[in-house]
Amino acid sequence: MSRKPRLIFNGHTRHTESSTVMGSRRRGYGRLASASLVLASLVTACADEAGGTGAMQASGSTTVAPVAADAAEALKAKGLDITVATQGGSAGGIAQLGAGQIDIALSSKPLSDADRSAHAGTDFVTTQIGSDAVGVIVTKKVADAGVTNLTKDQVRGLFEGKITNWSEVGGPDLRVFVYDKEPGRGTREVLDKYIYGDGKPPPPPESGNFAIVGGNLETRNKLKSTPGAVAPLSTGFIEGHNDLAAVTLDGIAPSSENVASGKYPMSRPLYMITNGEPKGTAKEFIDYILTDKGQTLLPKHGYLTLKQIGK
């Protein structure tokens, strides 16, 4: 059976036909959802009949996943069978690695003491593959009406539900709708670090204009569908989407130069994490991404290479 690298978002299997993993929403998605689940079951059943795929499994961050999927596509010519999934984001990938369910955790957040304590028997080894900027993303309607820069206090006010209309920060008379990331997502940790430093963030506001979302694709779709929306999102995911904009934070733009210098306050490393030093297919996979050719996959998705950040 001929196999293509598989990219799984939240349990739905997608076979990648090209190096691009970010597609537009298709009409009638609801009607196709059950079909996608059936397809995922068929892939599993087919693998079982073949005595198991033997695929190396990587799972976690929806930010790192597009790079991983492109690398898997490039390496299939060498006979490497690699499954890339995004179940549970960074925290989910780390937990799966700790439970011995996968070979590589994809993470857009550093390992925490809590991660290590929860999986004391795991020898976590992190390999940085690049860097990324998290933006405070608004709709073009909000940006065009005057919201192009926000202070840290204003960002805090928005995400705590204290600023409820864009007119309060120089924008249109339009209700704010916040799409925040679920706990454990690398994007959420970057936002919390920016707003609260080492302090603990408060509980989510009890508001009808606040919702928790999961991965980057879901976040982007929610932003596009809500005129007054704001959300934290990797800036690479809005490239080519002119109906969305990243504001500057205290006058600092999420540019490559500002991320590389550390001036931009919401940047983060991108990791591949293994249990012990990488070996076998996992080592081949990570080594490829660290090559000059592999590093070209990062800018394609709006991320910075190790060379660009001086590593």
Side-chain angles (χ1 to χ4, degrees):
M1 181 186 301
S2 176
R3 300 190 183 104
K4 291 184 173 67
R6 294 180 292 282
L7 178 61
I8 305 172
F9 283 99
N10 298 322
H12 291 173
T13 301
R14 298 179 185 176
H15 289 270
T16 53
E17 298 296 336
S18 69
S19 59
T20 301
V21 300
M22 294 185 292
S24 62
R25 222 177 190 175
R26 296 180 181 177
R27 292 177 182 171
Y29 178 80
R31 294 192 301 271
L32 292 176
S34 59
S36 296
L37 288 171
V38 171
L39 175 60
S41 299
L42 289 173
V43 170
T44 302
C46 183
D48 289 343
E49 288 173 7
T53 65
M56 189 211 75
Q57 298 182 61
S59 181
S61 167
T62 56
T63 301
V64 182
V67 176
D70 283 0
E73 175 72 17
L75 289 171
K76 73 176 183 179
K78 293 186 176 183
L80 272 66
D81 187 12
I82 299 166
T83 298
V84 178
T86 60
Q87 295 160 319
S90 297
I94 291 168
Q96 290 172 74
L97 181 66
Q101 297 170 345
I102 59 173
D103 304 287
I104 297 176
L106 311 176
S107 183
S108 56
K109 76 180 191 74
L111 279 165
S112 66
D113 291 340
D115 292 326
R116 295 185 186 278
S117 297
H119 308 284
T122 302
D123 178 20
F124 289 111
V125 174
T126 61
T127 303
Q128 185 173 356
I129 63 166
S131 192
D132 172 42
V134 173
V136 173
I137 309 300
V138 300
T139 62
K140 186 175 185 293
K141 180 175 183 177
V142 171
D144 286 351
V147 181
T148 58
N149 177 71
L150 292 169
T151 67
K152 183 187 294 186
D153 286 343
Q154 288 172 331
V155 174
R156 181 188 296 115
L158 287 165
F159 283 88
E160 290 183 358
K162 295 174 181 175
I163 296 173
T164 59
N165 193 294
W166 286 109
S167 62
E168 298 175 57
V169 289
D173 182 13
L174 180 66
R175 292 280 293 175
V176 172
F177 198 106
V178 175
Y179 288 109
D180 200 0
K181 290 278 194 167
E182 60 190 358
R185 295 276 179 175
T187 305
R188 168 75 176 270
E189 291 199 4
V190 172
L191 177 68
D192 286 347
K193 183 72 174 177
Y194 168 60
I195 297 176
Y196 305 107
D198 293 328
K200 186 177 179 180
E206 295 182 5
S207 167
N209 282 36
F210 184 96
I212 301 292
V213 291
N216 290 334
L217 291 172
E218 179 188 0
T219 305
R220 188 176 68 194
N221 288 337
K222 293 292 188 183
L223 281 163
K224 285 173 168 285
S225 67
T226 312
V230 60
L233 179 65
S234 169
T235 58
F237 271 72
I238 69 165
E239 289 193 0
H241 296 267
N242 297 328
D243 50 348
L244 300 175
V247 302
T248 59
L249 299 176
D250 292 307
I252 303 172
S255 65
S256 298
E257 295 77 17
N258 289 338
V259 172
S261 68
K263 187 177 180 181
Y264 182 70
M266 284 184 25
S267 60
R268 59 180 173 178
L270 304 178
Y271 294 113
M272 296 206 166
I273 307 174
T274 52
N275 183 2
E277 293 295 332
K279 57 186 178 182
T281 302
K283 178 172 170 52
E284 284 189 71
F285 184 63
I286 294 173
D287 284 350
Y288 173 77
I289 295 174
L290 296 177
T291 65
D292 289 343
K293 188 171 184 180
Q295 286 283 287
T296 63
L297 301 176
L298 284 109
K300 181 175 149 186
H301 296 289
Y303 310 144
L304 274 69
T305 65
L306 294 173
K307 185 175 181 180
Q308 286 175 305
I309 58 175
K311 294 195 176 218

